[in-house]
Amino acid sequence: MRTQVVTIHDVARAAGVSPATVSRVFNGGRVTPERAQSVQQAAAALGFAPNRLARSLRKQRSSVIALIIPDIENPFFTSLARGVEDAAQRTSLSVVLCNSDEDTDKERRYLEVALGEQMAGVIVAAASQDDTDLGPLIARGVPVVAVDRRPHDAEVDAVRADDRHGGEVATRHLLQAGYRRIACITGPEGASTSEERLAGYRAALHAARSNGAVADDAYVRHADFRVEGGRAAMRELLALPEPPDAVFVTNNLMTIGALDALDEAGRTPPGVGVLSFGDVPWASLVRPSLTAVELPSYELGRAAADLLLQRMEGGTAPLQTVVLRTTLQIRESTAGPVASD
Amino acid sequence: MRTQVVTIHDVARAAGVSPATVSRVFNGGRVTPERAQSVQQAAAALGFAPNRLARSLRKQRSSVIALIIPDIENPFFTSLARGVEDAAQRTSLSVVLCNSDEDTDKERRYLEVALGEQMAGVIVAAASQDDTDLGPLIARGVPVVAVDRRPHDAEVDAVRADDRHGGEVATRHLLQAGYRRIACITGPEGASTSEERLAGYRAALHAARSNGAVADDAYVRHADFRVEGGRAAMRELLALPEPPDAVFVTNNLMTIGALDALDEAGRTPPGVGVLSFGDVPWASLVRPSLTAVELPSYELGRAAADLLLQRMEGGTAPLQTVVLRTTLQIRESTAGPVASD
DNA sequence: TTCAGGGGTGAAATCCTTTTCACAAGCAGG
DNA sequence: CCTGCTTGTGAAAAGGATTTCACCCCTGAA
């Protein structure tokens, strides 16, 4: 298993030119056509593949961009990743995905990798609002775009959904459907999406107080954006002396858990209203069908990548925050409480 | 936005030593404790982060491994990715994920990246049995492990499931449940998993011919391992003059599509038996519950990573193929055809 | 006292490209 | 015929780490 590497020197020698010329052939310098051709031939014959490390080292910039997401098992993020990929596809950049697992340590390591590997750009859905430190990347001049979640005080371009507004619309819908004791299962306290969606929920409830709506923090649960967390939170809510008659769950996976817990307790929507922020994966299989705030996951990725590419091309426009709209899809799970309940 | 990079030289100067000594401090060479400490301090003070490109260039090997998967939106692969990550976690290696999207061109590009970036190792679930060329990586001495799908004639370690056996067991179960016109929706012709699961299905049917089972290739459909493909294939099957009374679908996403198509046609399991190879994501929400061949996705990733790490540590053992067992989980969707059907 | 051996150190080579710089040749215009 | 420009080219520097090699100093054994 010989590790015989073919370098630009070998190609140069074979083609009877200097390494500089070979480099120019591959990078669009001026070379006479015939010479270029003989270089091409030599390279092909020898099976030359440029050493990207050397290239990146010299150019001070590699040709891959990193996408750091907090949960690779959440279809929302994989769809977002597709958006990023498709946008990057049109350039010569490759996308590598890093899964921080909602763990700021893992995330830090990946950020270090991105910095140390001189990646051309970074798109990050931050694991934490506070502990995600984009400083080194920014100081080094690496373009960074925050997507979905916004790190607290970082000076970066951002692409996100209108979380607060979505939360408000969702909660108003539950109120209109006749639910009164509306609970909220939201994500970890550090995440901007958690907070904003919760804020929207609170605002809607607050506005409807005179209407008999119950605004009580006993109905608010912070979980971890995962199935298990949603299940546990829902169990807790169902165990309250006066259980909620509806629940607004701020992410898709937790909704799955919540539905499981409901099922376990023998309750089903819309007897207990269930509204998910973000579509549940393969929602078509779920009965009754789920009302959800539709989150433009793919477009978020797409927009983030576009913004990044723009920035990489040297755009000096002031920092932007792009906010994408969510839309409420009303389905069966929020048809209203049953009379006897 | 100054790109002031702190190099090992700067640290050396600040600590009053040579760059070689700084390198030794970070890589475990012999250095007197006090000197080591002053280097640490200088590095911390300057915010030194080693340039991983330079390091990898010199060492001829980077410290990231690539995992190339064909569909990032398939929970099977994301779970597998978790397995790989968790195994790599215990080392100093980082995992980057590349999504080939079942596209051999995209896959080729990622393989080039892996080669050009001198990645420490590659785990690949090949998009194609024939067009996936691992040759250059292998020639270069990069450890490679094939997972789930096996490229045709590549000389690599492999980790996969007992696809053929699983397919046979699944089909036998459908036969025992009383189904007779059993269709099979399988994946693209190039993929080893498609072929093997199909082979298992055929073997089981063949063995049961005397029993009234119909073994007819009109009941076999090749699709693309995605939801849409499964839906389209199921529609075709339902449009046959004599539609099948059960279907064995060789992957999870296609099963979702098939269920959609059944629903659309007003048919439901177990009236039409449905058996999925690979668990459907969040199967707990699906009614009736689905019989499935459970695929040890996480363990496949884990085992592949372990094998890779072993190989990277210079194991010179002969090439291995690890086959992990699948288990049939019998649930409601294959309870047997209704009498009138 | 001398010599062997080993630990700690720095200078310099090395990894492989890209890019700068200098130079030569060719050509047009004066 | 000479100047000035444009092109094409190769030598060499640069990018930032690791690693080899030579060296010094010290200890322990002969």
Side-chain angles (χ1 to χ4, degrees):
Chain A
M1 200 117 315
R2 185 76 87 301
T3 62
Q4 48 189 11
V5 251
V6 180
T7 75
I8 207 172
H9 273 89
D10 303 323
V11 177
R13 191 161 350 108
V17 300
S18 78
T21 299
V22 177
S23 171
R24 280 189 271 259
V25 169
F26 287 107
N27 296 291
R30 332 196 63 109
V31 181
T32 50
E34 63 232 18
R35 233 182 265 252
Q37 200 191 339
S38 80
V39 168
Q40 302 271 22
Q41 280 174 357
L46 272 60
F48 168 70
N51 183 322
R52 302 169 67 112
L53 294 177
R55 164 205 290 255
S56 302
L57 176 60
R58 179 61 233 249
K59 298 183 79 154
Q60 303 264 61
R61 169 141 307 180
S62 88
S63 58
V64 328
I65 67 184
L67 169 60
I68 303 179
I69 58 177
D71 185 3
I72 195 183
E73 300 198 79
N74 186 337
F76 167 73
F77 289 113
T78 57
S79 166
L80 188 153
R82 286 293 309 272
V84 171
E85 281 210 330
D86 287 356
Q89 195 68 12
R90 293 166 306 166
T91 71
S92 60
L93 295 156
S94 306
V95 179
V96 300
L97 211 70
C98 309
N99 178 31
S100 72
D101 221 5
E102 301 276 9
D103 174 341
T104 51
D105 281 338
K106 259 176 117 171
E107 183 178 75
R108 183 179 13 261
R109 268 211 300 286
Y110 280 122
L111 288 170
E112 274 165 19
V113 172
L115 183 67
E117 303 264 352
Q118 322 259 53
M119 295 204 176
V122 176
I123 299 176
V124 55
S128 153
Q129 205 166 341
D130 304 317
D131 298 339
T132 297
D133 186 11
L134 304 177
L137 282 169
I138 294 168
R140 186 94 165 53
V142 178
V144 177
V145 173
V147 68
D148 185 49
R149 318 220 191 136
R150 204 175 13 155
H152 188 239
D153 49 12
E155 301 270 308
V156 291
D157 291 302
V159 177
R160 59 187 189 83
D162 58 348
D163 295 301
R164 195 195 143 102
H165 179 250
E168 206 170 330
V169 168
T171 310
R172 263 207 307 266
H173 165 69
L174 286 168
L175 287 163
Q176 271 162 16
Y179 300 103
R180 282 296 168 270
R181 297 189 310 284
I182 302 173
C184 177
I185 301 178
T186 191
E189 311 219 16
S192 64
T193 45
S194 283
E195 311 281 21
E196 302 256 313
R197 292 168 195 173
L198 177 61
Y201 157 87
R202 284 198 167 123
L205 281 192
H206 191 80
R209 266 178 320 167
S210 57
N211 240 344
V214 180
D216 181 349
D217 271 2
Y219 285 151
V220 172
R221 285 286 180 286
H222 284 274
D224 61 356
F225 275 149
R226 300 192 191 178
V227 176
E228 274 316 309
R231 193 196 319 269
M234 191 72 225
R235 281 189 187 139
E236 282 179 32
L237 290 169
L238 289 169
L240 287 177
E242 195 162 34
D245 61 358
V247 60
F248 167 47
V249 192
T250 69
N251 105 324
N252 51 359
L253 298 190
M254 293 194 302
T255 301
I256 306 224
L259 287 169
D260 271 359
L262 276 174
D263 187 64
E264 194 180 273
R267 313 289 303 273
T268 51
V272 174
V274 175
L275 198 161
S276 173
F277 202 111
D279 254 331
V280 165
W282 298 286
S284 60
L285 298 182
V286 180
R287 293 292 126 71
S289 59
L290 272 180
T291 299
V293 176
E294 290 202 334
L295 216 38
S297 50
Y298 182 88
E299 289 75 15
L300 282 169
R302 186 89 189 212
D306 285 339
L307 200 49
L308 188 76
L309 293 174
Q310 188 181 316
R311 209 48 98 173
M312 285 171 52
E313 278 158 14
T316 46
L319 291 177
Q320 298 181 37
T321 294
V322 177
V323 177
L324 265 44
R325 280 208 53 178
T326 57
T327 54
L328 181 65
Q329 280 292 337
I330 300 173
R331 303 203 186 86
E332 298 162 5
S333 70
T334 56
V338 295
S340 69
D341 194 51
Chain B
M1 202 119 313
R2 183 78 88 297
T3 62
Q4 49 187 9
V5 249
V6 180
T7 75
I8 206 172
H9 274 88
D10 303 324
V11 177
R13 194 165 343 112
V17 299
S18 77
T21 299
V22 178
S23 170
R24 281 189 269 259
V25 169
F26 286 108
N27 295 292
R30 331 194 64 107
V31 181
T32 52
E34 62 231 15
R35 233 182 265 252
Q37 199 190 342
S38 81
V39 167
Q40 303 271 22
Q41 279 174 359
L46 273 60
F48 168 69
N51 183 322
R52 301 169 66 112
L53 294 178
R55 165 205 289 254
S56 302
L57 175 61
R58 178 62 234 246
K59 297 184 78 155
Q60 303 263 62
R61 171 140 305 180
S62 88
S63 57
V64 329
I65 67 185
L67 169 59
I68 304 179
I69 58 177
D71 184 3
I72 195 182
E73 299 197 81
N74 186 337
F76 167 73
F77 289 112
T78 57
S79 166
L80 188 153
R82 286 293 308 272
V84 171
E85 281 210 329
D86 287 357
Q89 195 68 11
R90 293 167 306 166
T91 72
S92 60
L93 295 156
S94 305
V95 179
V96 301
L97 211 69
C98 309
N99 178 31
S100 72
D101 223 3
E102 301 277 11
D103 174 339
T104 51
D105 281 337
K106 259 176 116 171
E107 184 179 74
R108 186 182 6 263
R109 268 212 299 287
Y110 280 123
L111 287 170
E112 274 166 18
V113 171
L115 184 67
E117 302 264 351
Q118 322 259 54
M119 294 203 177
V122 176
I123 299 176
V124 56
S128 153
Q129 206 168 337
D130 305 317
D131 299 339
T132 298
D133 184 11
L134 304 177
L137 282 168
I138 294 168
R140 187 93 165 54
V142 178
V144 177
V145 173
V147 69
D148 186 49
R149 316 216 193 142
R150 205 176 13 155
H152 187 241
D153 50 11
E155 299 271 308
V156 291
D157 290 302
V159 176
R160 60 186 189 84
D162 58 349
D163 294 301
R164 195 194 143 101
H165 179 250
E168 206 169 330
V169 168
T171 310
R172 266 208 302 267
H173 166 68
L174 287 168
L175 287 164
Q176 270 162 16
Y179 300 104
R180 282 297 169 269
R181 297 189 309 283
I182 303 173
C184 177
I185 302 179
T186 191
E189 312 220 16
S192 65
T193 45
S194 285
E195 310 282 20
E196 302 256 312
R197 293 167 194 174
L198 177 61
Y201 156 88
R202 285 199 167 123
L205 281 193
H206 191 80
R209 265 178 322 167
S210 58
N211 241 342
V214 179
D216 181 349
D217 271 3
Y219 285 151
V220 173
R221 285 287 181 283
H222 283 275
D224 61 356
F225 275 149
R226 300 194 190 175
V227 176
E228 273 318 307
R231 193 195 318 268
M234 192 71 225
R235 280 188 188 140
E236 283 179 31
L237 290 170
L238 288 169
L240 288 176
E242 194 163 33
D245 61 358
V247 62
F248 167 46
V249 192
T250 69
N251 106 324
N252 52 0
L253 298 190
M254 293 194 302
T255 301
I256 307 229
L259 287 169
D260 271 359
L262 276 174
D263 188 65
E264 196 179 271
R267 315 288 303 272
T268 51
V272 173
V274 174
L275 198 162
S276 173
F277 201 112
D279 255 330
V280 165
W282 298 285
S284 61
L285 298 183
V286 180
R287 292 293 126 71
S289 58
L290 271 180
T291 298
V293 176
E294 290 203 333
L295 214 39
S297 50
Y298 181 89
E299 289 75 15
L300 282 169
R302 186 91 188 210
D306 285 341
L307 200 49
L308 189 75
L309 293 174
Q310 189 181 315
R311 209 49 97 175
M312 285 171 51
E313 278 158 14
T316 46
L319 291 177
Q320 298 180 39
T321 294
V322 178
V323 177
L324 265 44
R325 281 210 47 181
T326 58
T327 53
L328 180 65
Q329 280 292 337
I330 300 173
R331 303 204 187 85
E332 298 162 5
S333 68
T334 56
V338 294
S340 69
D341 195 45

